Amino acid sequence: MWFALRRIVNVGANQLTSFSKLSCCCGIRSKTCASLEKQNWLSTQAPMHLQDMSNHGNQGNSTSCQKVKLNPEIDDRPYKLSKEQEEFLTQGSAENRLKLDEFLLQLQTFRETGTELPDVVKLEDLCNMLPLAYVKRLRYLTYLMKIEYKSKMQVQRKAAKQISRSQKIEKKQELESKLEHPWLEHSNLMMPIHKGQMNHFYNSNSLAGLLYGQKVVIDCSYNSYMNDLSIKLTAKQILFCFYSSRKNRRPFSLYICNLDYDSRLMYYLKKLHPGVLDVPISFHSKSYTELFDRKKIVYLTPHSYTVLNYNPEDIYIIGGFVDKQQLEVSRSKAENEHLRFASLPLDNYLKWKSGSRSLCLHQCLDILLEVKNTGDWSKALQAHVPSRKIKPL
């Protein structure tokens, strides 16, 4: 029922187009679908020589040419690249050739000094690391190594779960074989509530909030200020906002504005939640100023001296931005668009200890939900602001 009503909501032509593209992958989330989404995004963002290389790799099975082993089983010193890989990385430029030789020498130095490196690195990642400085290259390699280690641990945990599940089934079968009436063990007066039924209930509750609730907008126009890791964290926090709102008795009407459907942010949203375009969230590529009345819009920013007074008739904008550098871009954007802006009353109810006053997206949304239901700022801030940042009262 909620899915049928969801289609009636004003989601825009762009969302319907994206829905038709995603329909082939929504039923079964296979690795092929995920890789195709990633290749589609890379084909629109990468330079021309990257697009040619990816197209060539799709036509022929040249996946081995698109990856480089940094920790090979047979220790080849120094690192050797094939002609295709060198042409792909240098593009006939003498400057790129010098950078590549320097980078390969640094990789060799890392391995000789015992620095941990990822087993396999894609050529796209090598292209991204070529123009970087020494420290940033090392950080990028550490980031790739953590991702690789995380995927290996997931495979191990999945195998361990399968073994434990099979052992439990065997023990259960042994116990049932010893019972005279095994069916009595499964008798219960209460109907079981499964995870799918709970998701259906939460989504229907979120749909009611989408139709009749107060509007809260997440502004996704800050991708240029973030690196890949920050964009991934932003996608996670947007999904946390949806999960938190749908479980509340009075959920918000969530809008995602200024969204580029071919961006890296959309790629991570689809990867973390495959059916994200089917959930009760209103996705828009347009700006919120084109959708709502400017007089009702209030932009939330931590860099404002104006304290927020909660009004259920206002439309609150939360910047979709993991701000680790303390940039005042949200305030400057609100000033340029001639919008009202305000900050949460942190100093009025909390004793700040340390750390940034920029909160996560889902923390801001949880605070607004608590104030909407109870009207108590002190309770909301004490419950949802991280305890490491504040002093006990």
Side-chain angles (χ1 to χ4, degrees):
M1 182 64 183
W2 71 268
F3 178 76
L5 293 175
R6 173 69 182 84
R7 298 293 297 273
I8 303 175
V9 180
N10 183 17
V11 294
N14 291 332
Q15 182 178 358
L16 297 177
T17 306
S18 300
F19 172 79
S20 62
K21 293 180 180 178
L22 190 65
S23 59
C24 63
C25 298
C26 283
I28 300 176
R29 181 62 177 176
S30 61
K31 294 182 179 179
T32 306
C33 296
S35 61
L36 285 175
E37 292 175 11
K38 187 173 183 180
Q39 290 174 4
N40 290 337
W41 180 85
L42 290 171
S43 63
T44 58
Q45 299 294 325
M48 292 302 297
H49 67 279
L50 297 180
Q51 299 180 24
D52 297 339
M53 186 70 180
S54 60
N55 295 333
H56 177 70
N58 294 332
Q59 295 175 1
N61 297 327
S62 60
T63 56
S64 60
C65 295
Q66 298 181 10
K67 296 181 180 180
V68 177
K69 292 183 178 180
L70 298 186
N71 292 328
E73 298 177 358
I74 301 176
D75 192 10
D76 294 331
R77 299 192 178 187
Y79 286 111
K80 295 182 180 179
L81 301 177
S82 63
K83 293 183 178 180
E84 295 180 358
Q85 293 173 344
E86 289 182 356
E87 292 177 358
F88 174 73
L89 294 172
T90 60
Q91 290 298 305
S93 174
E95 183 180 358
N96 291 339
R97 181 65 193 180
L98 292 176
K99 290 182 179 180
L100 179 60
D101 295 338
E102 178 189 358
F103 186 34
L104 293 178
L105 184 59
Q106 287 180 357
L107 292 175
Q108 183 65 31
T109 306
F110 290 153
R111 185 170 63 178
E112 290 177 354
T113 55
T115 305
E116 294 184 4
L117 297 174
D119 294 337
V120 178
V121 174
K122 297 180 181 179
L123 289 183
E124 298 159 0
D125 294 324
L126 290 178
C127 282
N128 294 333
M129 284 186 282
L130 276 184
L132 299 180
Y134 175 84
V135 178
K136 291 186 177 181
R137 286 177 181 174
L138 186 58
R139 290 178 182 173
Y140 200 108
L141 289 170
T142 305
Y143 168 63
L144 295 177
M145 186 185 64
K146 288 181 179 179
I147 294 178
E148 188 178 71
Y149 176 76
K150 193 174 181 180
S151 62
K152 289 181 180 178
M153 294 302 297
Q154 287 178 352
V155 173
Q156 293 180 3
R157 285 194 293 266
K158 187 176 181 180
K161 284 183 179 179
Q162 290 179 353
I163 294 173
S164 63
R165 192 182 297 113
S166 61
Q167 291 177 352
K168 288 180 181 179
I169 292 174
E170 291 177 359
K171 290 181 180 180
K172 187 177 180 180
Q173 291 176 353
E174 290 179 3
L175 292 174
E176 290 180 352
S177 62
K178 297 178 182 179
L179 296 174
E180 184 177 359
H181 301 289
W183 56 273
L184 289 175
E185 293 293 322
H186 305 285
S187 62
N188 196 341
L189 295 176
M190 304 298 294
M191 290 291 292
I193 301 177
H194 300 287
K195 186 177 180 181
Q197 295 173 337
M198 292 302 299
N199 285 332
H200 182 77
F201 171 76
Y202 288 145
N203 288 334
S204 61
N205 184 45
S206 180
L207 180 62
L210 181 66
L211 296 175
Y212 309 110
Q214 182 182 3
K215 294 177 177 57
V216 173
V217 181
I218 298 177
D219 183 12
C220 298
S221 60
Y222 298 99
N223 292 344
S224 59
Y225 296 95
M226 297 183 290
N227 56 17
D228 190 73
L229 180 59
S230 298
I231 292 175
K232 185 176 181 180
L233 293 176
T234 303
K236 285 185 178 181
Q237 293 179 16
I238 291 174
L239 293 177
F240 287 157
C241 290
F242 167 67
Y243 300 150
S244 179
S245 178
R246 71 174 189 164
K247 293 181 180 180
N248 196 277
R249 60 188 179 92
R250 296 172 62 194
F252 283 127
S253 177
L254 287 179
Y255 279 72
I256 310 295
C257 293
N258 293 321
L259 179 64
D260 184 4
Y261 286 89
D262 296 327
S263 65
R264 192 69 168 169
L265 179 63
M266 194 65 205
Y267 162 72
Y268 278 124
L269 286 173
K270 292 179 181 179
K271 182 179 180 181
L272 296 172
H273 193 115
V276 67
L277 292 178
D278 299 332
V279 300
I281 302 178
S282 188
F283 294 91
H284 294 276
S285 58
K286 297 181 180 180
S287 175
Y288 40 82
T289 56
E290 302 178 16
L291 301 175
F292 309 112
D293 185 8
R294 287 175 174 267
K295 297 180 181 179
K296 294 184 178 181
I297 296 177
V298 179
Y299 209 112
L300 299 181
T301 171
H303 308 289
S304 173
Y305 296 104
T306 305
V307 178
L308 175 66
N309 292 322
Y310 182 79
N311 184 1
E313 301 296 329
D314 287 337
I315 300 172
Y316 294 112
I317 312 294
I318 302 175
F321 178 31
V322 176
D323 189 7
K324 293 186 177 181
Q325 301 177 1
Q326 295 301 303
L327 302 175
E328 299 185 6
V329 290
S330 57
R331 177 180 175 178
S332 61
K333 183 177 182 182
E335 290 177 346
N336 294 333
E337 294 180 348
H338 304 288
L339 301 175
R340 290 183 295 161
F341 55 90
S343 62
L344 300 178
L346 300 178
D347 295 331
N348 296 350
Y349 300 94
L350 300 176
K351 292 183 179 179
W352 206 259
K353 182 179 179 181
S354 62
S356 170
R357 296 177 183 269
S358 299
L359 301 179
C360 299
L361 305 182
H362 58 281
Q363 292 172 354
C364 294
L365 190 85
D366 289 338
I367 292 172
L368 293 177
L369 281 171
E370 190 73 26
V371 174
K372 177 183 178 182
N373 294 327
T374 63
D376 190 351
W377 277 104
S378 178
K379 180 181 177 181
L381 294 174
Q382 287 286 345
H384 300 292
V385 174
S387 59
R388 69 179 184 275
K389 294 186 175 184
I390 58 177
K391 297 178 181 179
L393 297 176

